[in-house]
Amino acid sequence: MRLMLLSYYGDDFTGSTDVMESLALHGAGTVLFTRIPTAAEQARFAGFDAVGIAGTSRSQTPEWMDEHLPRYFTWLKQLGARFCHYKVCSTFDSAPHVGSIGRAIEVARRVFGQQVTPLVVGAPQLKRYTAFGHLFAGYQGQTYRIDRHPVMSRHPVTPMDEADLRLHLARQTPLPVDLVPANALGDAAVDAVIAAAKGIVLFDVLDLATQLETGRQLMRISDRVGPFVAGSSGVNYALAKALAVAGDIPGRASFPALPKVDRIIAVSGSCSPTTARQIHHALANGFTGLHADPLDLARNPDEAVARLSTEAKQLMGEGRSVLVYTALDAETDRGGPLDAIHGGRHRVGQGLGRIARTCIEGFGLKRAILAGGDTSSHALGELDVFALTTRFPLVATPGSPLCAAASADPKLDGLEIAMKGGQVGGDDYFVALRDGLAA
């Protein structure tokens, strides 16, 4: 029986599809479950190279992690994959009180009985780079240190005010963080760091060459260190390249062209300027916008969802593509008041998911888009989807593939669904997914 190459838990849904895409592009058959599957559901994807679970830990407390993550890690461990990956956002935004990457690593160490946890964050494909332990990210053609990034340094929930990831993690965990710098990636240097380490070992990745070498090192040390590794999809890009060189996976894959659809439903809970540009572009190119007040969705979810669903169905009945959004430009961001409502952000995502489902089932839609990292996590939870595979990777803007849904509901089984984080995608993201793309 062929050894499974990788299992993983994604700390949000968009990040989970990012991993799936990076592996699928390299020819590794990958399925992403939305929850721990039943035996029958898992059997539908027998023989896949990689298996993932899409989670919500990015928006959860350390106490939630202590309670829930052991179950997920235990299930992933029993799959017996060569590597098990805790996937985090490539911008590493996290905090001691929410989305704590440090706490998640502590939980995994206990489950896997592993003293050293390799950590890889840099992913040049996503314009994310680590140099001497510091994180840099691209934005609008420029590269910024993450604590000076125009968006991530001001993130409404987890602002990144520290670029040195060792210092950033020190706020979240007492585990020491050692570094393998990009100029010391040789076997002897790596072995010396691993031998002395008692916690986390961060590998620099600042270009494709250091990425490939990091992947080779992860493969080389896994028998000594253990299967568990943490980091962004940079982990998967590094491993996929190294596995392809070793002949364990093909290294490339092809996907059939994406045809145009006559109408599409898109929902967005993102406050990102990137998503705002995408919404503006969509509204200028045939989409009809429908503003959803996030405070109303948080305070009166049933009434707000019923009203917005009725409006959206009326527009779709006229043959229109509809984009339901909670924010458009900085002045419409209601993040402050929303945070004052307990569970408010979760209810916004859930409400948007319910609106999307109403339209999908009401009109037999074949394609849908969920925008916003945390939003997508909770919105997809409202759809009866138990697994996703890659339908069409968006190579020009990696990290936001179109997926094929698996569901017990015939109206949802085979649905093409895209989930994107706030910072992901070109300005034409919504339009391109409606109008189709060539293979």
Side-chain angles (χ1 to χ4, degrees):
M1 182 176 177
R2 184 179 179 184
L3 175 69
M4 185 183 294
L5 297 176
L6 185 135
S7 61
Y8 71 95
Y9 175 96
D11 70 350
D12 69 5
F13 274 66
T14 58
S16 301
T17 59
D18 182 13
V19 172
M20 182 175 65
E21 177 186 44
S22 67
L23 293 169
L25 279 168
H26 289 85
T30 306
V31 58
L32 173 66
F33 291 106
T34 61
R35 51 174 167 73
I36 293 178
T38 65
E41 290 168 346
Q42 188 174 343
R44 180 169 167 178
F45 301 95
F48 273 49
D49 297 303
V51 170
I53 290 280
T56 62
S57 57
R58 184 182 179 188
S59 60
Q60 303 289 0
T61 65
E63 293 74 24
W64 182 96
M65 293 180 177
D66 288 338
E67 179 181 354
H68 295 279
L69 285 183
R71 176 169 173 260
Y72 291 110
F73 286 144
T74 299
W75 184 81
L76 292 169
K77 181 182 178 182
Q78 62 87 27
L79 293 176
R82 184 172 179 181
F83 295 95
C84 182
H85 175 203
Y86 180 74
K87 196 277 178 184
V88 304
C89 184
S90 61
T91 50
F92 218 70
D93 48 305
S94 53
H97 67 288
V98 62
S100 172
I101 296 167
R103 180 60 65 87
I105 291 174
E106 291 174 7
V107 174
R109 279 164 54 92
R110 292 193 290 270
V111 172
F112 285 87
Q114 190 169 311
Q115 175 173 288
V116 176
T117 299
L119 173 66
V120 181
V121 183
Q125 293 84 352
L126 306 180
K127 296 181 173 57
R128 309 291 192 257
Y129 317 92
T130 44
F132 299 99
H134 289 71
L135 177 59
F136 298 80
Y139 179 73
Q140 291 291 286
Q142 301 292 323
T143 300
Y144 298 88
R145 204 173 72 185
I146 198 69
D147 57 350
R148 297 179 182 176
H149 190 279
V151 177
M152 298 314 301
S153 64
R154 308 167 190 169
H155 190 283
V157 180
T158 49
M160 284 298 290
D161 58 0
E162 176 55 68
D164 189 328
L165 297 184
R166 293 163 294 183
L167 297 179
H168 183 69
L169 281 170
R171 300 170 177 172
Q172 303 175 17
T173 177
L175 293 172
V177 184
D178 292 293
L179 175 68
V180 176
N183 63 345
L185 264 171
D187 292 0
V190 171
D191 287 345
V193 174
I194 295 296
K198 299 186 183 302
I200 300 167
V201 175
L202 171 64
F203 285 77
D204 269 348
V205 172
L206 51 85
D207 55 21
L208 295 179
T210 52
Q211 182 176 73
L212 175 59
E213 180 59 18
T214 293
R216 188 184 75 83
Q217 292 293 343
L218 292 177
M219 291 176 63
R220 191 180 67 84
I221 66 175
S222 63
D223 288 343
R224 282 177 285 153
V225 170
F228 182 74
V229 58
S232 72
S233 58
V235 169
N236 312 105
Y237 281 108
L239 283 174
K241 288 181 179 297
L243 289 166
V245 169
D248 292 330
I249 57 175
R252 61 195 306 178
S254 59
F255 299 84
L258 192 66
K260 179 179 181 178
V261 292
D262 61 345
R263 21 179 204 179
I264 191 171
I265 180 68
V267 297
S268 171
S270 171
C271 302
S272 163
T274 299
T275 303
R277 289 195 305 274
Q278 293 163 344
I279 294 173
H280 279 297
H281 185 86
L283 298 184
N285 287 274
F287 277 76
T288 299
L290 186 59
H291 179 251
D293 185 344
L295 299 182
D296 197 20
L297 281 170
R299 291 169 177 157
N300 310 293
D302 291 340
E303 294 177 14
V305 167
R307 183 181 67 257
L308 289 163
S309 294
T310 298
E311 294 179 28
K313 286 174 65 178
Q314 180 178 343
L315 293 169
M316 298 212 84
E318 298 169 1
R320 305 188 194 188
S321 289
V322 175
L323 203 168
V324 184
Y325 59 89
T326 60
L328 185 61
D329 302 323
E331 61 268 20
T332 62
D333 180 8
R334 308 295 298 276
L338 187 60
D339 285 335
I341 303 172
H342 181 69
R345 289 185 182 271
H346 292 12
R347 285 197 289 276
V348 169
Q350 291 162 352
L352 291 174
R354 291 165 61 189
I355 295 164
R357 181 167 185 165
T358 296
C359 293
I360 292 164
E361 294 185 336
F363 296 95
L365 301 182
K366 302 302 182 185
R367 195 172 299 162
I369 304 171
L370 311 178
D374 295 338
T375 300
S376 296
S377 301
H378 298 292
L380 189 66
E382 297 301 310
L383 304 180
D384 186 18
V385 171
F386 70 83
L388 299 166
T389 54
T390 302
R391 164 64 182 89
F392 196 90
L394 304 182
V395 179
T397 56
S400 55
L402 186 66
C403 307
S407 174
D409 184 341
K411 293 182 179 180
L412 295 169
D413 194 47
L415 174 71
E416 296 176 343
I417 185 164
M419 291 173 286
K420 69 165 226 77
Q423 301 303 312
V424 175
D427 289 356
D428 66 343
Y429 184 85
F430 295 108
V431 174
L433 285 173
R434 178 197 64 191
D435 293 350
L437 293 160

